[in-house]
Amino acid sequence: MENKLKQPRERADVELRYKWDLDSLYVSDEAWEEDFKKVKSLFNEVKKYKGQLDHSSETLFEALSLHDEISRLVGNIYTYAKMKQDEDTRNSKYQALTDRATGIMVEAEESISFIVPEILMMDGEKINSYLQEKEELKVYSHSIDNIMRKKKHVLSPREEAILAQTGEIAVSPETVYGMLNNADLKFPSIKDESGNDVEITHGSYIPLMENKDRRVRHDTFKAFYDTFYKFKNTFAATLSGNVKKNIFYSKLRNYNNALEASINENNIPAEVYHNLIKAVSNNLDSLHKYVALRKKALGLDELHMYDLYTPIVKDVDMKIPYEEGKEMVLEGLNSLGEEYVSIVEEGLKSRWIDVYENRGKRSGAYSWGTYDSNPFILLNYQDTLDNVYTLAHELGHSLHSYYSKKNQPFVYGRYSIFLAEVASTTNEALLMDNMLKKVKSKDEELYLLNHFLEQFRGTVYRQTMFAEFELAIHQHVENGQSLTADWLCETYKELNKKYYGPDIIVDDEIAIEWARIPHFYYNFYVYQYATGFSAAIALSQKILSEGESAVNDYIGFLKSGSSDYPINVLKKAGVDMTTPEPIEKALKLFGDLVNKMEELL
């Protein structure tokens, strides 16, 4: 397994069983081309309904059905092309397919852009009478309610069509960033603890930062971020372009700011975002204590940013090959019941997962797929405990998708972004609980506690820091200022000082870390990791303490998709995110675990 770390393989050299099987999307590129042609023909068909939606319940139903058919096909087309590109971002064939898929996605949005404005122009009583009159139309009741809710933010049909045409331009900052970060950026090699040359990659960076040898960590950290610094102005330009895009759309749609425009999409009050930052900022003392504890446990005179990932317990060496990691995850999820575990087993056997890093492969991890396909998971698996948790995490996403699309019509078959991190983090919490119950020594318990506290730090504190940074950069531009590389670096470094406290040296290199975070291109996404983690802690504790009844409620939550507003879907499972209670409970648990670790040390 050492070779994977030192020398990423070419994709052709990765065993078939460790590559995902995209046949449930398209059995060939030719099948993809057929759907590409088919969806083009539907654009003309849907135009026939323009200006006709209020004529009858039948007309409204036919237009909405056609809207779904187009969205469904375009989703398949884009997802396949992008996932094929992600296998090896250097592959020009799939770069071209992705470019075409992006283009047809924009065409699709333009072709159906008249539907929402026309519904908004309809009289509410007429819509209600149509819903009563035609049984098949009732499936769209919540969807229509969601449209009417955003009435003041939707433009005229002509303006909506023009906005749809800007879509291809709008993704340019993210596209340029992705190509620079994933395909063109090349990191140097460093000497490992044995004196061997090791190439730094996105996939190997964290395992190297977990290395017991402090010199290896230092050299990795410096080489990694020095590479980003060489391109700091380009990264600043792409991020600035993305922020300006968000603000442009928020103004056109009559929102007060970009944050409000983003979170209103899921009917989330802005207070949820601000309350998260406030609650975490008021509870930084536990994080500061944890940092001080890490410094003491590692026996360091000075704790640096490159010391944050290495395990506190030096004597436990947990190298976990993928096959072993799979079994650990399956056992950890037993408390979710036989049905849930059997679906996970099916996914593991049926090549839902693209396991190992190869040259050119997209960095990181994700779960994706469409209403018509299996869920799919992209990993860049290294033999670490962290990667076992990544597997559990992404399986949580995939099972959420699986249950939603099996139990909801297409229109509600995807769960909302606000709920996206709940199922994934619930899996992680259940896995950790199971592993802590089976510890064989104090050192192993400390190691697992350290890992869970790191997950906590990374998901609640770190993502909230990201959320605060994202809010700051948007507000800076909304106040008429420019996002220069120097301002971004200074702002980011100061936030690190605030969050990590007085017992760590905040190295200059960390100031450029914002440049490696792709989530800053996802339009106020990251705060949901922290809210989702908090909700997941509440749900996992209910599952472990209440058993079958809580599992049934939880599976019901997974089956709900987007059939109701996300705040309501979560309330039905027993968690109310409109209050600070779940966040405060999660932060209290973090503090309790820090105290427990202190006692064991």
Side-chain angles (χ1 to χ4, degrees):
M1 303 302 273
E2 284 295 308
N3 288 336
K4 288 187 191 69
L5 187 61
K6 294 176 183 178
Q7 192 69 37
R9 291 173 290 183
E10 292 297 333
R11 184 158 185 86
D13 297 327
V14 179
E15 285 182 67
L16 185 68
R17 64 189 173 128
Y18 296 125
K19 296 177 185 177
W20 53 26
D21 176 11
L22 300 184
D23 281 2
S24 65
L25 257 171
Y26 290 104
V27 293
S28 65
D29 294 350
E30 289 73 26
W32 182 90
E33 292 286 359
E34 287 175 18
D35 267 3
F36 195 92
K37 290 175 187 171
K38 181 180 178 182
V39 81
K40 282 258 189 189
S41 69
L42 293 179
F43 295 160
N44 290 325
E45 193 175 331
V46 78
K47 283 175 186 173
K48 297 173 187 174
Y49 291 92
K50 199 169 183 178
Q52 311 293 315
L53 295 196
D54 66 344
H55 284 197
S56 70
S57 59
E58 180 66 27
T59 304
L60 180 58
F61 174 71
E62 288 174 2
L64 289 173
S65 298
L66 200 50
H67 172 286
D68 285 357
E69 187 178 358
I70 290 170
S71 298
R72 196 163 169 173
L73 280 170
V74 168
N76 290 339
I77 289 165
Y78 180 79
T79 303
Y80 177 81
K82 189 68 174 70
M83 288 176 71
K84 291 296 287 184
Q85 185 189 355
D86 287 350
E87 293 176 356
D88 185 347
T89 56
R90 303 168 302 174
N91 188 318
S92 59
K93 177 183 180 181
Y94 292 111
Q95 287 176 13
L97 243 63
T98 301
D99 192 52
R100 288 173 61 201
T102 302
I104 204 165
M105 192 160 60
V106 171
E107 281 186 65
E109 286 173 7
E110 184 185 353
S111 75
I112 57 182
S113 64
F114 69 91
I115 292 177
V116 168
E118 284 196 27
I119 289 173
L120 287 168
M121 286 189 289
M122 291 172 66
D123 178 70
E125 288 186 13
K126 178 179 271 193
I127 289 178
N128 286 333
S129 70
Y130 283 175
L131 288 169
Q132 294 303 314
E133 179 183 313
K134 188 167 182 62
E135 188 64 30
E136 297 95 325
L137 191 59
K138 286 181 181 176
V139 71
Y140 292 103
S141 294
H142 173 64
S143 179
I144 290 170
D145 181 70
N146 198 27
I147 290 169
M148 299 302 283
R149 178 180 65 79
K150 295 179 276 192
K151 188 164 188 170
K152 67 177 181 178
H153 303 296
V154 178
L155 310 179
S156 70
R158 173 167 168 71
E159 288 168 328
E160 287 291 338
I162 293 169
L163 267 189
Q165 290 177 51
T166 68
E168 225 165 340
I169 305 168
V171 299
S172 292
E174 184 183 352
T175 302
V176 173
Y177 169 80
M179 294 307 291
L180 175 59
N181 191 40
N182 293 315
D184 294 340
L185 211 61
K186 295 289 181 282
F187 301 101
S189 296
I190 58 121
K191 297 284 186 186
D192 68 9
E193 64 275 21
S194 303
N196 300 315
D197 286 330
V198 179
E199 181 185 348
I200 301 171
T201 66
H202 284 292
S204 69
Y205 173 70
I206 294 299
L208 285 166
M209 291 299 288
E210 292 173 343
N211 197 291
K212 294 177 183 179
D213 189 321
R214 199 175 190 216
R215 195 266 311 154
V216 172
R217 302 199 302 270
H218 169 272
D219 292 355
T220 301
F221 180 79
K222 185 164 178 54
F224 190 68
Y225 286 117
D226 282 354
T227 305
F228 280 98
Y229 261 114
K230 291 174 185 174
F231 301 93
K232 69 175 185 177
N233 294 306
T234 304
F235 281 118
T238 59
L239 186 56
S240 177
N242 197 66
V243 169
K244 286 175 180 175
K245 172 204 74 177
N246 294 341
I247 294 169
F248 168 75
Y249 284 128
S250 72
K251 285 180 177 177
L252 280 182
R253 295 200 176 282
N254 305 308
Y255 287 101
N256 293 316
N257 50 59
L259 170 65
E260 186 183 288
S262 173
I263 64 177
N264 185 59
E265 187 63 30
N266 289 303
N267 203 18
I268 308 296
E271 289 75 22
V272 172
Y273 196 99
H274 294 296
N275 286 343
L276 170 69
I277 294 172
K278 185 178 178 181
V280 172
S281 294
N282 289 340
N283 286 277
L284 288 173
D285 54 333
S286 293
L287 180 59
H288 295 170
K289 183 176 180 180
Y290 172 64
V291 169
L293 191 60
R294 169 172 280 276
K295 178 181 176 182
K296 176 186 172 185
L298 291 173
L300 298 172
D301 293 330
E302 286 185 350
L303 186 75
H304 285 261
M305 299 303 288
Y306 50 80
D307 298 316
L308 278 175
Y309 289 95
T310 191
I312 287 176
V313 185
K314 295 182 179 180
D315 297 329
V316 179
D317 186 14
M318 296 187 80
K319 288 283 183 186
I320 307 169
Y322 176 68
E323 294 297 335
E324 186 182 331
K326 285 197 309 188
E327 295 308 313
M328 291 169 67
V329 170
L330 284 168
E331 187 179 327
L333 300 179
N334 266 335
S335 54
L336 287 172
E338 287 182 19
E339 180 188 81
Y340 188 98
V341 172
S342 69
I343 297 167
V344 173
E345 287 175 332
E346 178 195 333
L348 293 169
K349 290 173 186 172
S350 305
R351 290 174 50 209
W352 288 4
I353 305 174
D354 206 80
V355 180
Y356 292 118
E357 182 179 18
N358 57 253
R359 286 196 177 278
K361 185 176 174 180
R362 184 195 188 277
S363 63
Y366 65 65
S367 170
W368 206 9
T370 71
Y371 191 77
D372 297 303
S373 77
N374 292 326
F376 294 107
I377 293 172
L378 179 138
L379 297 177
N380 284 278
Y381 192 89
Q382 307 285 342
D383 295 354
T384 65
L385 182 63
D386 188 60
N387 275 230
V388 177
Y389 278 88
T390 299
L391 174 60
H393 181 100
E394 300 304 337
L395 281 166
H397 286 307
S398 290
L399 269 286
H400 197 173
S401 298
Y402 181 94
Y403 273 111
S404 291
K405 69 185 186 183
K406 290 286 183 186
N407 291 278
Q408 296 295 334
F410 174 78
V411 66
Y412 307 126
R414 296 176 61 191
Y415 49 82
S416 75
I417 289 175
F418 185 75
L419 301 176
E421 299 307 326
V422 176
S424 54
T425 314
T426 298
N427 272 14
E428 289 191 65
L430 293 172
L431 175 60
M432 174 55 68
D433 179 80
N434 185 65
M435 291 185 72
L436 281 171
K437 284 173 180 170
K438 295 175 64 184
V439 291
K440 298 183 178 76
S441 67
K442 185 177 84 168
D443 281 348
E444 194 174 317
E445 185 175 7
L446 277 168
Y447 188 89
L448 290 172
L449 278 173
N450 174 212
H451 180 83
F452 194 51
L453 287 168
E454 278 301 293
Q455 293 293 104
F456 223 122
R457 175 181 73 81
T459 312
V460 179
Y461 287 107
R462 181 172 160 82
Q463 299 299 332
T464 303
M465 183 180 79
F466 286 171
E468 190 167 348
F469 178 72
E470 195 170 2
L471 184 62
I473 62 179
H474 282 82
Q475 288 178 339
H476 193 66
V477 177
E478 283 167 342
N479 290 332
Q481 305 298 312
S482 298
L483 292 182
T484 64
D486 289 343
W487 185 90
L488 287 163
C489 288
E490 181 186 351
T491 302
Y492 193 82
K493 187 175 181 182
E494 287 304 309
L495 279 171
N496 273 271
K497 288 179 179 177
K498 168 187 166 180
Y499 275 75
Y500 290 109
D503 287 289
I504 190 168
I505 305 295
V506 178
D507 303 277
D508 289 340
E509 287 86 355
I510 203 67
I512 193 69
E513 187 184 37
W514 56 267
R516 71 173 272 244
I517 311 298
H519 294 73
F520 291 144
Y521 294 81
Y522 298 177
N523 195 9
F524 292 100
Y525 184 96
V526 294
Y527 86 101
Q528 294 159 128
Y529 284 108
T531 55
F533 191 97
S534 302
I537 292 297
L539 287 167
S540 60
Q541 289 178 342
K542 278 171 68 70
I543 289 162
L544 291 167
S545 63
E546 297 174 19
E548 189 176 347
S549 63
V551 169
N552 290 337
D553 288 345
Y554 180 68
I555 300 297
F557 156 75
L558 297 181
K559 290 178 178 179
S560 296
S562 56
S563 59
D564 198 350
Y565 296 116
I567 290 286
N568 296 338
V569 170
L570 210 43
K571 277 182 182 175
K572 289 171 188 173
V575 179
D576 186 357
M577 291 307 298
T578 62
T579 72
E581 184 184 9
I583 299 160
E584 288 170 352
K585 277 188 174 179
L587 295 170
K588 182 183 182 304
L589 177 61
F590 181 86
D592 291 342
L593 293 175
V594 170
N595 292 337
K596 185 173 183 180
M597 175 172 268
E598 186 176 36
E599 289 170 15
L600 289 168
L601 285 166

